[in-house]
Structure formats: C-alpha cells, structure tokens
Amino acid sequence: KAGVTQTPRYLIKTRGQQVTLSCSPISGHRSVSWYQQTPGQGLQFLFEYFSETQRNKGNFPGRFSGRQFSNSRSEMNVSTLELGDSALYLCASSWGRTGPIYEQYFGPGTRLTVT
Amino acid sequence: ELKVEQNPLFLSMQEGKNYTIYCNYSTTSDRLYWYRQDPGKSLESLFVLLSNGAVKQEGRLMASLDTKARLSTLHITAAVHDLSATYFCAVAQGAQKLVFGQGTRLTINP
C-alpha cells in the first residue's frame, strides 16, 4: 500500500513569489491535513480538508490557502512568500474506509527555502 | 486554547538506562499521539492512546495516558543508540487537528 506522497520534496523560492505544494494521500483516505514545521514555532496546524471541504483552519494569514480535489489529492498555496515561510511542510492523511479513523499518516514533507 | 507541553526538551542519556518523557496538555481530548522524527525526516507514528489508563508498548518504548491528570508518558527502557531521535506528543483537537508539543530531542550515548 503506497504511503502519503508530497511533491516537490525541496523548493527554493524568492521573497514575494508564490508556491504550490502537492499532497497525495493514501488510497481511500479522504482527509488531508497540512502542518508547518519550523525550529522556532515547532509543528503548527495549517488546515484540514475532507471531501473537498475545508473543515478546520489554523492561525495562519490568508496568504496560506489550500484546496482538495475529488480524488482527495490536496494542494496548498503560499502567496507573497516571506523569509519566515521557510519551513518543512508536512501533510497527513487519514479517515479511510477501513481501519481506524484516528490514525494519521504523514508524508515525507516539502522543504521550502525562501531567499 | 489547547496547549501541549513536553519535558524535558533535551535529554542525553547513556545506553542501557531508563528514562521517561512527559507530555502535559491543558484541555480534555479523546486522543493522544506519540511520534518519532529523525533529522530531516517526516513523522513516524509510534502510539495512539484513546482512553484513560491506556498503555501501549513496542519494543523498548511504552506509552501511557492519564486523562484525569491530562498527562501522557513515554518510557524508554534500556535505551539503545537507535532510539536517538526527536519525540513528539500530539493531542487531538476536533476531528483531525493535532496540537503538538515542542518535542524532546533524545540523544543516547554509548
């Protein structure tokens, strides 16, 4: 069974640019959550999507947005990048048709560097 | 607002010793998770604890949950070098949102 995949794995952008990250959940999973990990702030919840609807959102500015497609794949977008957006972005998938609904499986992450 | 605090944040120990990482959280929740993260890697799920008094063990790691005290512990028995990593606890807030502790960086020396 394939795990959670994230693309790209590494990204370097310049301040002011925008970026789109992609996450493909485990087959059958309908929930995708996004987290930002930085040395200073730790792991912080960005948002969660279930069946193409955003169900929960963390305390991040509107520059951070996301969406989910009908095949459960999700993208997150960050506009007008700032140096502080440099982080490891992790997505987690859960809520399959079988198995425990509470298990969350994390992808390998996308390392974003803003210069 | 749910807050999750781990201690210690840094732990250096010798192989063969036992130690415990503590995770306190501020409001009630129905799920508590423990994850392991190696440098530059993603999060690996270790345990999910669902009820008061829950205890789970895998190898040299044992996790427990006391929902009344809002406390979970991760106990390491006879540590080996391979267990060196950062350990996070996370508490569920709502359906799929996790609030993480700061992480405990564990270094096990020969």
Side-chain angles (χ1 to χ4, degrees), chain B residues 69-86:
Chain B
R70 296 178 191 154
L71 171 69
S72 179
T73 60
L74 181 65
H75 187 72
I76 302 149
T77 302
V80 293
H81 179 70
D82 286 352
L83 291 179
S84 296
T86 299

Side-chain angles (χ1 to χ4, degrees), chain B residues 16-78:
Chain B
K17 300 290 187 183
N18 303 334
Y19 211 82
T20 301
I21 300 171
Y22 298 88
C23 174
N24 289 90
Y25 54 100
S26 59
T27 62
T28 58
S29 173
D30 59 356
R31 283 165 285 147
L32 188 137
Y33 300 75
W34 283 98
Y35 288 94
R36 167 182 172 150
Q37 187 177 42
D38 291 297
K41 304 289 187 180
S42 186
L43 297 172
E44 175 190 350
S45 178
L46 295 174
F47 303 108
V48 183
L49 303 169
L50 301 178
S51 60
N52 188 44
V55 177
K56 289 195 174 180
Q57 183 163 6
E58 181 72 35
R60 301 175 188 273
L61 300 177
M62 183 174 71
S64 66
L65 178 62
D66 181 343
T67 58
K68 293 178 183 175
R70 296 178 191 154
L71 171 69
S72 179
T73 60
L74 181 65
H75 187 72
I76 302 149
T77 302

Side-chain angles (χ1 to χ4, degrees), chain A residues 4 6 23 25-26 29 31-35 47-49 90-94 103-107, chain B residues 35 43 96 98 100:
Chain A
V4 181
Q6 292 187 245
C23 172
I26 291 170
H29 283 190
S31 169
V32 173
S33 303
W34 288 89
Y35 293 84
F47 29 65
E48 184 245 350
Y49 286 86
L90 295 166
C91 83
S93 95
S94 63
E103 283 284 4
Q104 292 216 16
Y105 301 88
F106 282 82
Chain B
Y35 288 94
L43 297 172
Q96 301 298 334
L98 298 184
F100 283 83

Side-chain angles (χ1 to χ4, degrees), chain A residues 1-47:
Chain A
K1 189 173 181 180
V4 181
T5 58
Q6 292 187 245
T7 56
R9 295 290 312 280
Y10 302 92
L11 206 47
I12 300 175
K13 290 286 189 179
T14 304
R15 269 183 303 175
Q17 289 185 315
Q18 76 165 15
V19 67
T20 299
L21 312 181
S22 180
C23 172
S24 292
I26 291 170
S27 178
H29 283 190
R30 297 165 65 189
S31 169
V32 173
S33 303
W34 288 89
Y35 293 84
Q36 182 197 64
Q37 185 176 26
T38 60
Q41 299 299 316
L43 279 151
Q44 293 186 285
F45 174 80
L46 281 156
F47 29 65

